[in-house]
Amino acid sequence: MRPLVTVTAGVAAVVLLTGCGAGGAGDAGKAPAPASTSGGSATPGSPGSFDVAAALRNADPAPYSAEITAETYTGTTLTVVMSGRMNFNGPAPTGKLTLRTADGVPEDQAFGSETILLEDATYTRLLDGEGADGEWQRAGLDSPGSGLADYGAYAQMLLDLGPKARKGPEKVGGVPAQRLSGTLGQERLRTVDRRLYDRMRATGTEDFACDVWVAESGRVVRFEQWLEMSGRPARNVVTFEDFGEPVQVSAPE
């Protein structure tokens, strides 16, 4: 297994979707989007015919939780899967996440970890799959939620690109949604995702491609991002489902 610091970095890479030596990937290597209900702009009364801008603007600000699954692909190969339940719209995102390498990863490179995210700290331990899990290790946060991507803000940035970003209605996990798609430049991230902005500046990255699917509730139900990782094309896919009341999250005993 890999050292805990490496596993923790892997958690951050998948959850934050902002590291990984991001490089401008444009539209190259994009996988097909989920099945579209119309292939274009929604017609009045059709599934997913809501105004996505109004949905984002009127989204309920109350705290909620959702099941999150994040997959990282290197080229077309699935390498890492993260899953768990997260609380949103609170002072900072909190929750419990499990990170594991995919089945196709060579055994000598495989690892797993469990992370508890609190408002002021994270706790991470290795998982060995044989009942001898590692000790919890605590790490403080620079500031609450400083690294977690704001998916609603990404949706708004795509909307700001104009009508070309609106790709019409599609269903995600059976939920009608509107897909937004485009390429985001470095400067647009300055106030929305400072961590990614700083990394893009450090690596000379000008832009990257991403898609966001927004449900009528104004909540993001799917997010995709195309990057380069160590000179190889990579893709992050995040889905949100089973929305509900916030769940209790506490430090491990």
Side-chain angles (χ1 to χ4, degrees), residues 92-116:
T94 60
K96 296 182 179 180
L97 299 169
T98 299
L99 180 78
R100 295 186 185 277
T101 44
D103 292 341
V105 173
E107 186 175 351
D108 62 345
Q109 299 178 29
F111 65 89
S113 70
E114 183 180 12
T115 298
I116 297 175

Side-chain angles (χ1 to χ4, degrees), residues 171-216:
K171 283 191 175 181
V172 178
V175 177
Q178 290 279 337
R179 180 166 72 97
L180 304 170
S181 179
T183 299
L184 298 176
Q186 180 187 114
E187 285 303 314
R188 289 182 177 271
L189 300 177
R190 183 191 295 267
T191 59
V192 171
D193 198 336
R194 185 72 192 200
R195 182 169 297 186
L196 178 55
Y197 170 75
D198 289 341
R199 295 193 182 208
M200 290 178 71
R201 290 188 65 193
T203 58
T205 303
E206 295 298 328
D207 54 37
F208 65 89
C210 75
D211 286 9
V212 178
W213 286 258
V214 181
E216 191 168 8

